[in-house]
Amino acid sequence: MLDIPLCVRVDVDAVIAAQIDMGVCDAIEQNAPAGGLAAMSAPHLPKVAGINSAVAAPAQTAAPLAHAPGALIQDRLAGWVSDLTTLHELTERLARTGSLDEALDELLHAGATLVGARRGMAVLEPADGRGPASTVGLGLARADLGHIETVPRSATGYGRILDSGTPGIPGPVAQADLLHDATLDPRHREVAARLGYAASYALPLATEEAGRLGVAVWFYDEPAEPVDRQRHLVGLYGRYATEHLARMLELERTRHQMAAIADELLPGRLPRVPGVRLAARHLTGPRGGGEWYDALPLPEGALGLAVGSVSGSGPSALAATSRLRAGLRAYAVMEGEDPVAVLSDLELLLRLTEPARSATALFAYCEPAPAALGDGAGSKIVLAGAGHTPPLIVGRHRTEFVETSLSAPLGMLACWEAPSVEFSPAPGETVLLYTDGLLRRTGDPMDRAFARLHTAAASVPRALRDDPGAVADHVLRTVLPGPGPGAPDAGRDGEDAVVLAARFD
């Protein structure tokens, strides 16, 4: 048996069994001579004027070809096997998608193959109202989708399905000839003529278990509609796709919730301290990792900067992140001028609250020197790191990593200790603090990832170097693959990443 997902295999087997029985009976009935089964192997010529069909054909004359029932059955079985093979391949491709957008795109491509259309549109609109709601197209630009959305929903096939108030699962809606349908809404006819489609077939994305998730609709360039065989196959595929979309939808909702929680655990806004300007970028991965940052004003005009990473992912990692960040803020206020003491206390907190977890952290005690004072004193930074990546200084005359001492992550040793490092950023220089998630997102080995980061920082245009946010954005766009809003997206396998930029006057 073909390796078809269970929910598809059960429905197909039942239909095939019925169709095979029907096909065999039909073939025998249509081809069996009146004399019974024994006469099936004998030639049977049609009655034609001047020919006695009861007389056997001469031996030297080729016997007429009979349409054997076995050949008809084999043709039908070959067609069914071909359809099932196609269905199996399409469902396998759908099962390999890992996000809601990928699943919707694959659904449209597979459905277009099954119904013989070239363009399509999927409208995700879960009946429970929890979202997310979206519309994606196949062969249609965003402007085209906008034109379709101007048509009254009640006049469209997908609108009838989405707005159906009847209980149960609505059936598909075929509109075979839009341009010559006298009952069609004029706006619908106008949009169809503008976009160049003449027919549509809408399939509900709904099952008893998943409920109604949305609808998929495919557009034909000429008046047409799927035949029964195509409707049957796309219906089977649609039921499997709906179950897969339901799983992807729940995963997407969980990701949004994890991202919202992670953002709430980070600073809502950065402090304003004379002599330094701050900017932060936080990229959230699908697993909800434990990358975090913090910036807090300290007594006597000082500033505390921190970044860190907690091992693991998910809600437990977020909870550990919240505890460590709250603890670090308390320790920084009490003894922030000694970063080693801050991290030592943080390590004790981690061992008491999360004995099975480790974490990396870097804390910097900054004493900015505002240019307005004009006393000639420069800014000073004292920092300590626990297994964390070194900061990067970006300036007009240098781009270099700060040399920090080797140290173990928090929670790895019975007693953590490491020396602190002091350095002075020049006026106009930006100090970048970042987590190792940024390096892992590149997919390169660590040495190449560090080189990639250094090259990106060195290539910041001079016009952007006065803005720490622009510096962080340029570094992210250059280091990480893929486009994204304000910063790139490494895809569904990306980890959390943090960049904290501090420009000193």
Side-chain angles (χ1 to χ4, degrees):
M1 179 178 286
L2 293 173
D3 183 18
I4 299 175
L6 182 58
C7 61
V8 175
R9 183 183 302 134
V10 172
D11 295 335
V12 173
D13 286 348
V15 174
I16 287 180
Q19 289 181 337
I20 288 177
D21 293 341
M22 183 183 301
V24 173
C25 296
D26 292 346
I28 294 176
E29 182 179 350
Q30 293 174 7
N31 294 277
L37 296 176
M40 291 178 63
S41 60
H44 188 74
L45 297 177
K47 292 183 179 180
V48 182
I51 298 178
N52 184 3
S53 59
V55 179
Q60 70 273 14
T61 304
L65 295 176
H67 194 64
L72 178 61
I73 296 173
Q74 288 180 358
D75 289 343
R76 288 190 177 185
L77 288 176
W80 294 330
V81 170
S82 175
D83 290 342
L84 289 176
T85 302
T86 300
L87 192 62
H88 171 67
E89 293 174 352
L90 294 177
T91 53
E92 283 291 309
R93 286 170 51 181
L94 180 65
R96 287 194 292 268
T97 59
S99 68
L100 193 58
D101 290 339
E102 290 181 5
L104 290 172
D105 184 68
E106 179 59 33
L107 164 68
L108 288 177
H109 281 85
T113 300
L114 293 174
V115 302
R118 190 171 60 90
R119 293 177 289 179
M121 178 180 72
V123 180
L124 186 66
E125 195 174 293
D128 58 11
R130 297 168 53 198
S134 64
T135 302
V136 298
L138 170 66
L140 296 170
R142 177 55 60 182
D144 299 334
L145 296 177
H147 285 304
I148 295 175
E149 290 175 350
T150 63
V151 179
R153 281 172 56 126
S154 60
T156 64
Y158 74 89
R160 298 174 194 171
I161 294 176
L162 291 175
D163 299 335
S164 174
T166 58
I169 300 175
V173 177
Q175 295 177 300
D177 193 352
L178 293 171
L179 301 182
H180 297 91
D181 185 356
T183 63
L184 193 69
D185 184 273
R187 177 57 182 168
H188 195 177
R189 184 181 292 105
E190 177 187 349
V191 171
R194 174 181 295 183
L195 299 184
Y197 65 86
S200 66
Y201 183 73
L203 179 72
L205 301 175
T207 63
E208 293 293 342
E209 296 79 9
R212 193 208 72 197
L213 302 183
V215 63
V217 55
W218 293 276
F219 302 104
Y220 295 90
D221 297 339
E222 302 293 337
E225 63 178 305
V227 298
D228 291 342
R229 166 181 161 272
Q230 292 174 318
R231 292 181 185 232
H232 177 64
L233 287 177
V234 78
L236 291 174
Y237 180 83
R239 287 197 291 273
Y240 177 82
T242 300
E243 296 294 337
H244 182 72
L245 286 173
R247 293 189 291 269
M248 292 295 101
L249 181 62
E250 193 62 31
L251 180 61
E252 191 74 12
R253 288 171 174 173
T254 302
R255 289 174 177 172
H256 282 294
Q257 292 171 358
M258 295 290 292
I261 294 174
D263 288 338
E264 289 296 326
L265 294 177
L266 297 175
R269 61 179 181 177
L270 297 174
R272 294 179 178 270
V273 177
V276 62
R277 285 186 290 165
L278 301 174
R281 300 292 183 266
H282 179 219
L283 306 182
T284 305
R287 295 185 296 272
E291 313 280 306
W292 58 278
Y293 69 92
D294 204 351
L296 64 157
L298 296 176
E300 300 180 1
L303 174 69
L305 301 177
V307 291
S309 175
V310 175
S311 61
S313 60
S316 61
L318 292 177
T321 297
S322 176
R323 285 190 288 268
L324 286 184
R325 177 171 170 260
L328 182 135
R329 292 178 72 92
Y331 303 143
V333 172
M334 293 186 297
E335 47 192 1
E337 66 279 358
D338 186 358
V340 174
V342 172
L343 293 186
S344 297
D345 293 339
L346 195 64
E347 197 270 342
L348 178 60
L349 175 65
L350 181 67
R351 283 197 290 117
L352 293 176
T353 59
E354 301 283 344
R357 197 182 297 275
S358 62
T360 65
L362 185 145
F363 177 72
Y365 179 79
C366 308
E367 295 179 310
L373 296 181
D375 56 1
S379 301
K380 184 179 70 171
I381 298 178
V382 181
L383 65 86
H388 205 78
T389 51
L392 181 61
I393 301 176
V394 182
R396 179 173 300 182
H397 302 294
R398 62 171 176 170
T399 301
E400 61 185 24
F401 291 101
V402 177
E403 294 187 6
T404 57
S405 57
L406 295 176
S407 60
L410 303 176
M412 298 293 289
L413 301 178
C415 182
W416 179 89
E417 188 174 356
S420 61
V421 175
E422 181 178 330
F423 67 98
S424 297
E429 290 185 334
T430 300
V431 178
L432 290 181
L433 308 182
Y434 53 94
T435 59
D436 50 3
L438 174 64
L439 303 177
R440 287 196 296 267
R441 273 200 174 208
T442 65
D444 293 335
M446 276 299 173
D447 55 343
R448 294 184 59 185
F450 275 113
R452 192 169 177 172
L453 175 60
H454 184 276
T455 301
S459 65
V460 176
R462 181 170 298 182
L464 302 179
R465 296 197 173 188
D466 291 337
D467 183 359
V471 172
D473 289 338
H474 176 85
V475 168
L476 288 173
R477 283 193 301 267
T478 308
V479 170
L480 299 182
D489 181 10
R492 66 176 182 270
D493 294 328
E495 302 186 30
D496 278 16
V498 164
V499 174
L500 180 60
R503 183 191 183 278
F504 291 86
D505 295 334

